[in-house]
Amino acid sequence: QLAGLAVIAFGLWLRFGGPMAEFATDKKSPELFFMGLYVLVGAGAIMSAVGFFGCCGAARESQCLIGTFFACLLVIFAGEVTAGVFAFIGKKVAIQEAQKIYEDAYEDYMKNPVGKVNSTIYRYHVALQCCGKGNVEQTGLPCPENIQLPKASNCLVEIQNVIDTHLHLVGIVGIAIASITIFGMIFSMILCCTIRNMREMI
């Protein structure tokens, strides 16, 4: 249950906190990346619910509940592996989607550097701590204060770095969840067998 709640909190933080949240506030967003986060939050919610039923089964010494607990963990484990493979394969597409969002905002700003478009491009720059696309056209862009140019001038590179970092975090959390799930399946089967042997002895 605690692991499930931690996964939910982690997924929500990635979704609504940090630089990636800025992409979600616009009309367009990197759907592939956020889809993976929704799967992560869903897996955490299922883990919490399954953990509760597992506790009930252990307390009542019910083979049926413990067996159901094992089956649910097996499904969660299969889902985690599938999501991990999907995230690994779709990483390049997610980066391209996020970069396209910034490039669209950049082009809109160049056409009309006032009003809402101005605030949108500035919000991206503050979140990513970058300014422009690393070329001469960035002159006049709303850049964050105290930013070191030209080192942080290419926002497309920063977007790739941010998504790579976040996906690595998701991968680490996924491995941790998978490990907990495997141990849960092992101990649930041991407990189920122990309960059955005790009843046969009685």
Side-chain angles (χ1 to χ4, degrees):
Q1 282 181 299
L2 292 176
L5 293 175
V7 170
I8 293 173
F10 179 73
L12 292 177
W13 173 74
L14 288 180
R15 172 60 178 80
F16 297 104
M20 289 308 300
E22 297 298 334
F23 288 98
T25 59
D26 203 15
K27 293 182 180 179
K28 299 178 181 179
S29 61
E31 296 179 359
L32 194 63
F33 180 80
F34 289 127
M35 191 183 300
L37 296 184
Y38 295 142
V39 170
L40 192 67
V41 172
I46 295 173
M47 283 182 65
S48 297
V50 169
F52 174 76
F53 290 115
C55 289
C56 292
R60 294 172 60 89
E61 296 185 355
S62 170
Q63 286 181 274
C64 181
L65 284 176
I66 296 175
T68 303
F69 174 73
F70 174 84
C72 290
L73 287 182
L74 185 61
V75 172
I76 291 173
F77 180 76
E80 289 166 354
V81 173
T82 303
V85 173
F86 180 74
F88 178 76
I89 294 175
K91 182 176 73 170
K92 185 177 180 180
V93 178
I95 291 173
Q96 289 175 346
E97 285 183 355
Q99 289 176 335
K100 181 68 167 54
I101 292 170
Y102 176 79
E103 288 182 321
D104 289 343
Y106 182 92
E107 295 301 326
D108 289 339
Y109 174 81
M110 287 301 177
K111 294 177 183 177
N112 181 26
V114 292
K116 185 178 179 180
V117 176
N118 189 316
S119 62
T120 299
I121 197 74
Y122 180 72
R123 194 168 65 242
Y124 288 160
H125 288 166
V126 171
L128 298 168
Q129 283 299 296
C130 62
C131 190
K133 298 193 294 183
N135 53 39
V136 294
E137 297 177 4
Q138 71 184 18
T139 305
L141 285 174
C143 300
E145 296 180 1
N146 302 322
I147 189 171
Q148 297 180 355
L149 296 174
K151 181 180 179 180
S153 62
N154 197 330
C155 288
L156 299 180
V157 174
E158 292 301 317
I159 289 171
Q160 180 176 349
N161 293 337
V162 166
I163 293 182
D164 276 335
T165 301
H166 282 64
L167 285 178
H168 284 150
L169 289 174
V170 171
I172 292 171
V173 171
I175 292 172
I177 296 171
S179 301
I180 294 172
T181 305
I182 291 172
F183 278 109
M185 288 191 291
I186 293 172
F187 288 124
S188 63
M189 288 305 298
I190 292 174
L191 181 59
C192 191
C193 293
T194 302
I195 293 172
R196 183 182 61 187
N197 293 335
M198 290 177 62
R199 288 181 178 176
E200 289 177 353
M201 290 175 62
I202 295 174

